Amino acid sequence: MPELPDVEGFRRVAKQAAHRQVREVRVHDAQVLRGVGSEAFQRTLRRRYLAEPRRHGKWLLIGTAGAANAPASPPVVLLHFGMTGNLQWCPHDAELHDHDRVVFDFAAGELRYRDMRKLTGIHLAREQDEVDDLLAGLGPDAQQIEAAEFGERLTRTRRRLKPALMDQSVIAGLGNICVDEILWRARIHPNRSTADLTDDDLDRLYREMRAMLREAVRVGRVPDGPSWLTGHRDEPDRRCPRCSTALRRTRIGGRSTLWCPTCQPD
C-alpha cells in the first residue's frame, strides 16, 4: 500500500506536469472518480494549467490555474492511491496499461493515474471548503509535525502504539511498513501502550521516524535493503538485520506486524 514515501515519489512524477496546460483528459474508468462525473471532470480541467503538486499524508493535491471562462476559485485535483495506485509520466506513444484509469494529456507527454484495485481514487474540489472537508480528519503530516505535538497527540489516549501511529487522524502518512520500520529502529514493541511511553521513548520514536522518512522519501519508497527490517519481511527464515534473532509476526490492530523479540522486548 502506498505510504508517505511512495506518495512523495508520485509527487515528483506529478512535478513533470507542473506549469503545463492540460490539452485533454481521458477517463478510461470513471469508477476512480469520486463525487464528479467523467464529462464534468474533463470539461473542468481541459486547457487549465497544473500547479506544483503538494502532499499531505497519503494525499496528493494538484492545484490548477488559468483557462478561458475559468471559475474564480481554481479547482484542485486530490489523488489518493489506496492499495495499488500510482502515477506514471509517459510519452504519448507508450502503450496504455490495463490499469491506466485516467490520463492527463500535455504537449510534452501524459500523466497517468494507474490503479489495479480502485479502492480510492480522484476527487475534484471546486472550492477550498471542499479541500478542507476532504482533509478534515487528518492529523499533521508525519514529515512536518514538531516533536512536542508528536508526543502530545500520540499519548493523549491509552491505546496500543502501532494502531496509534497508523491512525491518520493522529499523524498523517504512516502505514504498516513505515510503522514496523520505525518501531524496530526505536527498539520499542508494537504492542506497548501509548500511556506507558516515557519521554525518552517519545524522543527516540520521533527521531527515528524523521530519519527513516528522510531516507525513504529520497528513493520514493521504504527501502528493502539488507540493513532495513522491510528487506526481511518476505524471507522464509526472517532474521533481525541488527542481531540475527528470528523475527516474529502477528496481527496487531488487524494488520500484519513484524518485530524482533530481542531488540523490541515486550
Side-chain angles (χ1 to χ4, degrees):
M1 178 177 183
E3 302 182 22
L4 187 157
D6 306 272
V7 181
E8 267 296 313
F10 304 155
R11 186 184 68 82
R12 291 196 286 269
V13 172
K15 278 176 67 69
Q16 296 180 75
H19 313 297
R20 300 186 189 276
Q21 188 178 41
V22 179
R23 299 195 304 188
E24 65 173 323
V25 181
R26 298 191 296 276
V27 178
H28 296 283
D29 190 338
Q31 288 185 354
V32 300
L33 299 180
R34 301 291 187 264
V36 62
S38 295
E39 290 186 9
F41 187 77
Q42 294 166 315
R43 184 175 61 252
T44 301
L45 295 176
R46 189 179 297 121
R47 296 190 300 278
R48 296 195 67 82
Y49 289 83
L50 297 191
E52 290 281 339
R54 62 186 181 91
R55 180 193 55 73
H56 187 97
K58 301 178 186 180
W59 285 83
L60 189 66
L61 294 79
I62 308 177
T64 66
N69 303 316
S73 178
V76 177
V77 180
L78 296 95
L79 303 97
H80 198 282
F81 300 93
M83 292 290 291
T84 57
N86 68 81
L87 281 180
Q88 300 283 331
W89 178 260
C90 302
H92 292 112
D93 59 357
E95 183 177 356
L96 190 71
H97 191 279
D98 288 345
H99 303 140
D100 285 341
R101 310 301 183 181
V102 176
V103 176
F104 302 85
D105 180 84
F106 306 87
E110 297 177 347
L111 184 65
R112 300 180 179 182
Y113 178 83
R114 184 174 296 175
D115 191 2
M116 180 177 67
R117 296 181 64 183
K118 302 182 290 185
L119 297 179
T120 50
I122 304 176
H123 299 253
L124 182 66
R126 296 178 177 83
E127 303 287 343
Q128 183 59 41
D129 286 350
E130 296 179 49
V131 176
D132 296 340
D133 287 345
L134 283 169
L135 304 184
L138 298 181
D141 184 82
Q143 262 199 308
Q144 304 299 324
I145 191 170
E146 297 292 338
E149 186 177 10
F150 173 84
E152 189 278 327
R153 295 184 71 89
L154 198 56
T155 59
R156 62 172 52 166
T157 58
R158 181 186 294 271
R159 59 192 302 192
R160 288 182 294 175
L161 180 54
K162 178 169 181 177
L165 284 168
M166 290 186 61
D167 186 339
Q168 300 302 294
S169 69
V170 176
I171 302 167
L174 302 180
N176 195 47
I177 293 176
C178 280
V179 170
D180 279 357
E181 193 72 43
I182 293 165
L183 292 171
W184 174 75
R185 286 173 167 233
R187 298 174 181 262
I188 298 176
H189 195 281
N191 220 17
R192 281 272 299 276
S193 169
T194 57
D196 296 335
L197 296 174
T198 66
D199 289 343
D200 285 346
D201 291 332
L202 291 168
D203 179 64
R204 196 163 64 255
L205 274 171
Y206 180 76
R207 285 188 287 105
E208 294 297 350
M209 178 185 75
R210 294 294 297 269
M212 189 281 292
L213 289 176
R214 187 164 53 248
E215 294 180 62
V217 161
R218 191 177 298 123
V219 296
R221 59 183 176 83
V222 179
D224 57 0
S227 64
W228 288 66
L229 182 74
T230 304
H232 301 266
R233 296 190 74 89
D234 298 323
E235 292 181 351
D237 180 27
R238 294 184 292 267
R239 295 276 167 178
C240 175
R242 188 162 46 212
C243 71
S244 297
T245 298
L247 295 170
R248 293 184 183 173
R249 189 190 291 270
T250 189
R251 296 190 74 81
I252 297 177
R255 303 301 301 273
S256 177
T257 300
L258 192 68
W259 84 96
C260 173
T262 298
C263 296
Q264 300 164 266
D266 195 347

